[in-house]
Amino acid sequence: MMTSEQATHWHLALPSMTEIPILPIVVNHVTFGIPLNQVQYVDHASALTPLPLALSPIEGVMQFNNLPLVQLNVAHALGFESQSEGKIVIVCLPQGYLALRVDEVLGFIHAGESENNTDSDQIPLLKLNEIFPWIRNNSASLLELTLPVNKTTH
C-alpha cells in the first residue's frame, strides 16, 4: 500500500472519497489512476516523430485525429525506467490534449469498487499539473506549443 508521504514524493494526490470513475494505469509495476473524465482515448504505442533537442520525459510528437500531440513518458517523469512498449493514454486538459505513455492500462473502475482484489480507494491519482509543471504555468494550449509559428509579412 502506498502512503501519503510516498504519493507526495512522487507528486501524486491520493483520491478523495468521491465516486469518480478512474482509469487505472501501471507504471513500473505501480498502479496509478487518471480521472476517467480526462481520458479521451487508449491505444497501443505507435510511431513517433522525434523532437530535436527535446528532453525526457518528452518522447516526440504523435498524430491523433489529424492533430499533433506531444507524447510524454510517465515512467521517466516519475524517475522510473520505462519499457520499450506500452500503451498510450490521451488525456484532455484545459490546455489541450496530451499523450501519455504508460506500461499497462487496466479496466475502468469507480472509486470504492474493487476489481481483482485491488482496493481502488488506495490507487493514487496522477496530478499531471504537478508531474509536468509547465502544464499549469502555461496559458497557451499544448497544440500551440507543438505547432510552428506562422508569421506573415505585409
Side-chain angles (χ1 to χ4, degrees):
M1 182 168 94
M2 183 175 298
T3 67
S4 295
E5 291 173 14
Q6 289 171 321
T8 302
H9 174 70
W10 281 345
H11 303 289
L12 304 173
L14 293 176
S16 65
M17 299 310 286
T18 61
E19 293 291 322
I20 60 167
I22 61 171
L23 175 68
I25 60 169
V26 177
V27 178
N28 197 38
H29 308 291
V30 179
T31 302
F32 300 104
I34 298 175
L36 196 55
N37 63 349
Q38 292 181 342
V39 176
Q40 297 297 307
Y41 190 72
V42 176
D43 201 356
H44 295 280
S46 60
L48 285 176
T49 301
L51 287 173
L53 306 175
L55 301 175
S56 180
I58 298 173
E59 293 187 316
V61 176
M62 66 168 289
Q63 189 171 352
F64 174 70
N65 287 343
N66 295 322
L67 295 173
L69 297 183
V70 174
Q71 181 173 309
L72 302 170
N73 186 316
V74 177
H76 286 175
L78 295 173
F80 296 133
E81 291 292 321
S82 68
Q83 298 179 358
S84 59
E85 298 294 319
K87 301 278 184 163
I88 300 300
V89 178
I90 296 175
V91 295
C92 182
L93 303 172
Q95 297 85 355
Y97 293 98
L98 189 63
L100 305 174
R101 186 160 69 88
V102 300
D103 296 340
E104 188 178 348
V105 174
L106 305 176
F108 304 105
I109 59 175
H110 284 275
E113 292 180 0
S114 63
E115 181 177 282
N116 298 332
N117 298 324
T118 301
D119 188 2
S120 65
D121 288 340
Q122 302 302 316
I123 298 175
L125 292 177
L126 289 177
K127 268 177 76 176
L128 297 175
N129 62 344
E130 292 294 326
I131 297 170
F132 310 113
W134 48 267
I135 291 174
R136 70 168 173 236
N137 294 331
N138 192 340
S139 60
S141 75
L142 295 172
L143 181 59
E144 290 171 356
L145 296 174
T146 60
L147 294 176
V149 175
N150 247 347
K151 293 186 179 183
T152 57
T153 57
H154 293 279

